[in-house]
Amino acid sequence: MTGPAVILVGPMGVGKTTVGELLAKRLGVACRDTDQDIVESAGKPISEIFLDDGEEHFRELERTAVRKALGEHSGVLALGGGAVLAAETRELLAGGPVVFLEMDVAEAVKRVGLDAPRPLLMMNPRKQWRELMDARRPLYTEVARAVVGTGDRTPDEVADEILDALELKHS
């Protein structure tokens, strides 16, 4: 598969962008985040896209952003938490260097606080986070070549494990 050297998937707040930037620096490549691509193309934050245009419109923008990034980016790519919901996206990820960054709800509370302006977590955030993960975990696992836990670990430790799991050169 041509395309990204590493593709990171996982829930919101797990550190895909932070770890992605570290990996990119170590590999000497660029890091790209599809959520940022969506914000730039839509000209407004994701929370506003959800509120103004609805989740379905956001998911359409997300599918387009992921397809485009997979086709043109050769560095490290971080996908939004819900990108794996689309069967089309999971097909595009099949066989790729995909790493599922995993954390539990206790870690999510520490990292995200579950009170941040996350559109899918507005009501009863802990319960909704668990429900999102119950639905998404099998999809993350389906596309992943490796699963790396992030709980109580530094971004550097997570990056090291990803490089080892994908047998990429450390620098």
Side-chain angles (χ1 to χ4, degrees), residues 47-147:
S47 58
E48 285 184 27
I49 298 168
F50 266 79
L51 293 171
D52 296 347
D53 309 309
E55 182 176 1
E56 186 55 41
H57 178 70
F58 170 76
R59 296 297 173 202
E60 184 180 313
L61 295 174
E62 183 173 56
R63 287 188 299 275
T64 300
V66 170
R67 184 174 49 254
K68 184 176 182 198
L70 287 170
E72 66 188 30
H73 185 69
S74 60
V76 176
L77 182 63
L79 302 188
V84 297
L85 295 171
E88 168 192 339
T89 297
R90 292 192 309 277
E91 287 174 26
L92 291 171
L93 295 173
V98 180
V99 177
F100 166 26
L101 296 183
E102 185 174 46
M103 69 179 171
D104 62 19
V105 72
E107 188 71 16
V109 169
K110 281 195 322 197
R111 290 182 187 210
V112 181
L114 296 187
D115 60 358
R118 307 274 185 169
L120 292 178
L121 298 178
M122 292 205 177
M123 304 296 286
N124 194 344
R126 286 174 193 241
K127 179 177 183 260
Q128 288 188 281
W129 192 89
R130 280 190 190 100
E131 288 173 359
L132 282 174
M133 281 307 296
D134 287 348
R136 294 177 180 181
R137 184 173 279 108
L139 303 176
Y140 293 139
T141 304
E142 173 189 326
V143 299
R145 185 180 299 173
V147 178

